[in-house]
Amino acid sequence: MTSVPGEVAIVTGAASGIGRAAALRLARAGWAVAAVDVDAAGLDALVERAPGVRPYVCDVTDYAAVTAVVRDVGRELGPPRRLVHCAGIGVMGRLLDQDPADTLRLMTIVYGGTLHLVRAVVPAMAARGGGQVVLFGSIGGWVPVPLGGGYGAAKAAVHFLGEIVAAEHRGDGIRVLCVCPPAVETPMLSRIRVESPELLGPRRGLSPEKVLDSMDRALARGRMWAFPGRGTHAMWTARRLAPRALSGILGRVLVGK
């Protein structure tokens, strides 16, 4: 499905990071962009850069709030043709050292928020003849990364949700793309560097623009998956073909085990 200027896109997590970059890119391409985030100040800063973007403050874990925002977007901008769901958080650390409540909260935000947006958008989108659903997973949801257990489990759930929605709505014109980047240079990554310095060290992450370039290429080619960054697809392949070897390498490289 080609991008049509003037059509409506909903972008979540739009106040910072990949979501902000996606909202700006779509607005420059002529899309009417509904920017969704819990961070009102961040949305205000985004609108200063792109006055055509419409801000919507919303907590994606609140399903009633999500459905209300989607309804408002339809009334004020028009029915969305594309959902770009970037909202999420990252909490790293040894899985069994973390409070289970914190790990479950991570699942609620990352997976639950994705489920809420997809449920609020896709049925009406399908009834109108189709649309594009872009979900942001992670290579960490495919490859078990030490210190990333909770985050990886939540992203793996997002991957599974994307596959199911694609299969169940293939006949409705719904195109699902799941983007699975490695570490990306965002405010979230900066915080992780401080909280878990042993996880990444001095290595820089991928730029949001390179992630979005990969997203655009995958959309143009009708693909279900995008693996931005050098070596990301190879890591996914190695996980499928030699999981024990890859896990051992990651353990030694990342946490010295």
Side-chain angles (χ1 to χ4, degrees), residues 179-224:
V179 185
C180 304
V184 182
E185 283 298 327
T186 63
M188 185 177 79
L189 186 65
S190 297
R191 179 182 53 76
I192 290 172
R193 279 199 177 95
V194 173
E195 295 175 355
S196 302
E198 69 275 34
L199 183 59
L200 293 170
R203 291 188 296 272
R204 287 193 59 78
L206 205 61
S207 74
E209 290 301 325
K210 288 188 180 297
V211 175
L212 295 178
D213 289 344
S214 177
M215 177 193 78
D216 287 341
R217 288 193 298 270
L219 283 171
R221 296 168 183 171
R223 293 180 175 171
M224 169 79 194

Side-chain angles (χ1 to χ4, degrees), residues 146-165:
L147 306 182
Y151 181 76
K155 288 297 188 179
V158 170
H159 300 164
F160 196 86
L161 184 153
E163 287 192 280
I164 291 296
V165 172

Side-chain angles (χ1 to χ4, degrees), residues 87-164:
I89 63 170
V91 179
M92 302 299 173
R94 294 184 184 276
L95 184 61
L96 300 186
D97 290 345
Q98 296 174 323
D99 187 328
D102 292 337
T103 305
L104 291 173
R105 177 175 174 271
L106 178 64
M107 181 67 75
T108 297
I109 294 171
V110 174
Y111 173 72
T114 304
L115 179 62
H116 288 166
L117 263 297
V118 170
R119 178 63 181 82
V121 169
V122 167
M125 188 182 277
R128 293 190 303 270
Q132 298 171 327
V133 176
V134 180
L135 306 179
F136 273 81
S138 170
I139 190 61
W142 288 105
V143 177
V145 176
L147 306 182
Y151 181 76
K155 288 297 188 179
V158 170
H159 300 164
F160 196 86
L161 184 153
E163 287 192 280
I164 291 296

